[in-house]
Amino acid sequence: MPYKNNRISWDTSVKHYIRLGLYNNLPEEIKVQIPRTNIHRWANETDTKYLGCEVAKFIKEELELIKQTGQSRHAKKVLDVYFKLSETYHSIVGKTRGIKNVITHSKEKIVETIEQVKSIVSLDNALKIFNISRATYQNYKTLVLNKCVPSYFNWCLKTYPQQLVKKEIDTIKTYFENGSSQYWSKSSLYYLGLRNRDFGFCLTTFYKYSKLLGYSSRHLRLKPKYDSLISSRPNQIWCADVTILKTKDGTRHYLHILLDHYSKKVLGYTIEDFSNPKAIRSLLQNAYSKISIKSEIRFITDGGIENVNNTVNQFIQNHNIIHQIAQKDITFSNSKIEAFNKIIKHQFLLPRMLENRKQLENALAEDIEIYNTVRPQQSLSGNTPEETFNGKPICISQYNSHLKAQKKFRQKQNNKNRCKKCY
């Protein structure tokens, strides 16, 4: 039977490390494998046992030189200057739009690098390079090093027990990818899910996960603050406006809209070939005929010829309606109906790529119905315009009563799905 030699032979350089008193400089994974008897024997060996032992002494001298350099005043000054340059760089680059997102998305590389160099450079100095705080770094470290497979984003379920479960995140994705509502605002999507009891979390959480899932938001430029026109009940203030929409056949269509200011309900609309005073009068007549109590109504428009003319004035003078021109008779703009124009065009009509007037007529009839009766609004605390117009209170508590129960369920579910690292 052939003889097998299973004896392990250690590299001579390891023996030199121990003979020269540099045992602590060895990597941990090597130190744990060396038997104590070997350490004792190698530490007491004579220098002349190995040929070329002078090289080992040279290595020791080099290590000592490196240690002394690290402790020298000049080296510390160099480091201080380096960090000062780093701070100046961040003070300039930090103003660049999106730089924080780049750092956040690079958290894995940051954690990996800092963990490799933290034995040489202090943690605080390393964090100065990336201009992040200790708390932020610990958060990065938790997310990177403690990954939980049951979590959608691999976040530690023990550290973040209130994170949404996979089913909830899949539901968010379903709402965003629904063809009939994919161009709605995020708040309307949220309140629709809340009303359907598909969402058991607050609006802020919805925004957070929407961003994490990559559903971009429309960035609105900040405008100067001003006092807005306020109404307290339906049929107190009406707004009218004309907006233009061009179909693919090149035709310009003039959409005449009448809106209730309080509920945001579309009271009437018509499509014309030009800005038509008769269309505005017709919208007023139809809406006014449906009111049971003929209390005073303020009618707000801009100064366009379709609004300011004898045709409209004759009807207004014979009824309990006061016509006011925005930013002329009153200091307020007609912003509520202007916002509606953007909604109906960008969230409903334009994505349809309408070919002609016939398609526009069919689409507008369907979309106005959806806007009035299906699409919830944040400013109405989740109500639809139709509900608010008919007297339903504007109160979010009628839709979010299930959030506490869902919060308990989520925590219980996440605790149940903890991975081994979480315990």
Side-chain angles (χ1 to χ4, degrees):
M1 182 176 179
Y3 170 74
K4 292 183 179 180
N5 185 9
N6 294 325
R7 184 170 175 269
I8 298 174
S9 297
W10 287 93
D11 191 283
T12 307
S13 58
V14 177
K15 300 177 183 179
H16 284 318
Y17 261 82
I18 295 174
R19 286 177 53 251
L20 298 173
L22 301 174
Y23 172 75
N24 290 329
N25 293 67
L26 289 170
E28 290 296 328
E29 58 268 23
I30 293 178
K31 288 163 64 175
V32 296
Q33 299 181 55
I34 305 175
R36 290 186 179 182
T37 53
N38 289 35
I39 295 173
H40 178 75
R41 185 173 71 254
W42 296 338
N44 292 285
E45 286 177 342
T46 61
D47 293 343
T48 57
K49 182 174 180 180
Y50 302 97
L51 292 174
C53 60
E54 294 82 3
V55 176
K57 291 182 179 179
F58 174 74
I59 293 172
K60 183 178 181 182
E61 291 173 358
E62 287 291 312
L63 290 171
E64 290 297 328
L65 179 62
I66 290 171
K67 290 180 181 178
Q68 290 174 10
T69 303
Q71 294 171 356
S72 70
R73 282 186 175 183
H74 178 71
K76 288 182 178 178
K77 283 183 179 180
V78 171
L79 285 173
D80 288 340
V81 170
Y82 175 74
F83 288 121
K84 187 171 184 62
L85 290 171
S86 176
E87 289 174 2
T88 304
Y89 171 77
H90 280 292
S91 67
I92 298 170
V93 177
K95 298 176 183 178
T96 304
R97 185 176 179 180
I99 190 68
K100 291 185 178 179
N101 289 334
V102 174
I103 292 175
T104 301
H105 292 150
S106 304
K107 63 173 74 72
E108 292 191 1
K109 289 184 179 180
I110 292 173
V111 171
E112 181 182 350
T113 303
I114 291 179
E115 289 300 304
Q116 288 177 354
V117 305
K118 68 180 183 181
S119 59
I120 301 172
V121 180
S122 69
L123 179 60
D124 288 335
N125 285 335
L127 295 179
K128 284 182 181 179
I129 302 296
F130 300 101
N131 196 28
I132 57 177
S133 64
R134 271 180 171 263
T136 300
Y137 178 70
Q138 290 302 323
N139 183 41
Y140 287 177
K141 194 173 176 180
T142 300
L143 294 173
V144 172
L145 300 182
N146 300 327
K147 293 184 177 180
C148 282
V149 176
S151 167
Y152 188 93
F153 293 104
N154 293 328
W155 296 342
C156 176
L157 292 170
K158 181 179 181 181
T159 308
Y160 305 103
Q162 280 302 321
Q163 63 180 279
L164 300 189
V165 298
K166 286 186 176 182
K167 184 178 179 182
E168 291 177 301
I169 296 174
D170 288 337
T171 303
I172 292 176
K173 292 169 67 177
T174 300
Y175 270 78
F176 271 104
E177 294 166 9
N178 184 354
S180 63
S181 58
Q182 61 179 319
Y183 297 101
W184 291 12
S185 65
K186 287 185 178 181
S187 58
S188 289
L189 284 180
Y190 169 74
Y191 283 108
L192 182 61
L194 189 68
R195 288 166 60 96
N196 294 338
R197 293 188 172 264
D198 289 331
F199 296 160
F201 41 84
C202 67
L203 179 59
T204 305
T205 300
F206 180 73
Y207 283 151
K208 173 185 174 181
Y209 279 86
S210 300
K211 186 176 181 181
L212 288 169
L213 290 169
Y215 297 108
S216 60
S217 59
R218 298 178 180 87
H219 299 287
L220 301 177
R221 294 181 179 178
L222 295 177
K223 297 180 180 179
K225 291 184 178 179
Y226 62 91
D227 295 330
S228 58
L229 184 62
I230 297 175
S231 53
S232 57
R233 58 175 175 79
N235 294 324
Q236 182 182 14
I237 300 175
W238 288 352
C239 306
D241 196 21
V242 177
T243 187
I244 302 172
L245 188 134
K246 195 173 183 179
T247 49
K248 292 184 71 177
D249 61 4
T251 306
R252 292 160 64 94
H253 306 279
Y254 292 76
L255 312 184
H256 296 60
I257 309 291
L258 181 65
L259 190 81
D260 178 67
H261 185 273
Y262 177 75
S263 65
K264 298 185 179 181
K265 179 185 176 181
V266 177
L267 302 176
Y269 71 91
T270 182
I271 305 172
E272 303 292 335
D273 296 329
F274 54 90
S275 295
N276 192 340
K278 292 182 179 179
I280 297 295
R281 174 171 177 154
S282 176
L283 293 176
L284 286 171
Q285 285 178 324
N286 291 336
Y288 197 78
S289 65
K290 297 175 183 178
I291 300 175
S292 56
I293 302 175
K294 308 294 186 182
S295 56
E296 182 181 272
I297 298 174
R298 294 171 65 188
F299 180 50
I300 311 297
T301 68
D302 59 27
I305 193 171
E306 71 278 359
N307 302 311
V308 183
N309 53 72
N310 291 331
T311 303
V312 174
N313 289 341
Q314 286 174 3
F315 176 79
I316 289 173
Q317 289 172 1
N318 296 323
H319 299 82
N320 196 10
I321 300 176
I322 300 175
H323 189 190
Q324 295 178 315
I325 308 301
Q327 296 183 330
K328 180 181 178 182
D329 299 330
I330 57 175
T331 58
F332 311 110
S333 67
N334 206 8
S335 58
K336 191 150 289 190
I337 195 166
E338 290 169 357
F340 166 79
N341 290 339
K342 290 181 180 179
I343 291 171
I344 200 64
K345 287 199 285 189
H346 293 280
Q347 296 185 22
F348 289 92
L349 297 175
L350 291 178
R352 290 177 177 265
M353 305 294 288
L354 302 169
E355 296 282 348
N356 48 49
R357 176 163 180 154
K358 183 63 177 176
Q359 289 188 7
L360 175 59
E361 290 174 349
N362 294 335
L364 193 58
E366 181 181 338
D367 292 342
I368 292 293
E369 180 68 16
I370 291 173
Y371 171 85
N372 275 343
T373 63
V374 179
R375 180 184 179 275
Q377 300 202 24
Q378 182 181 7
S379 60
L380 302 177
S381 294
N383 282 1
T384 64
E386 182 74 32
E387 290 171 336
T388 305
F389 185 80
N390 292 331
K392 189 171 185 178
I394 299 177
C395 182
I396 187 61
S397 61
Q398 59 192 327
Y399 302 121
N400 65 5
S401 58
H402 63 291
L403 263 60
K404 289 184 178 179
Q406 182 65 20
K407 184 177 181 180
K408 291 181 180 179
F409 167 77
R410 186 184 307 126
Q411 188 166 5
K412 182 179 179 181
Q413 196 75 4
N414 284 331
N415 287 333
K416 188 191 303 183
N417 291 331
R418 285 184 184 179
C419 64
K420 293 181 180 179
K421 291 182 180 179
C422 292
Y423 288 98

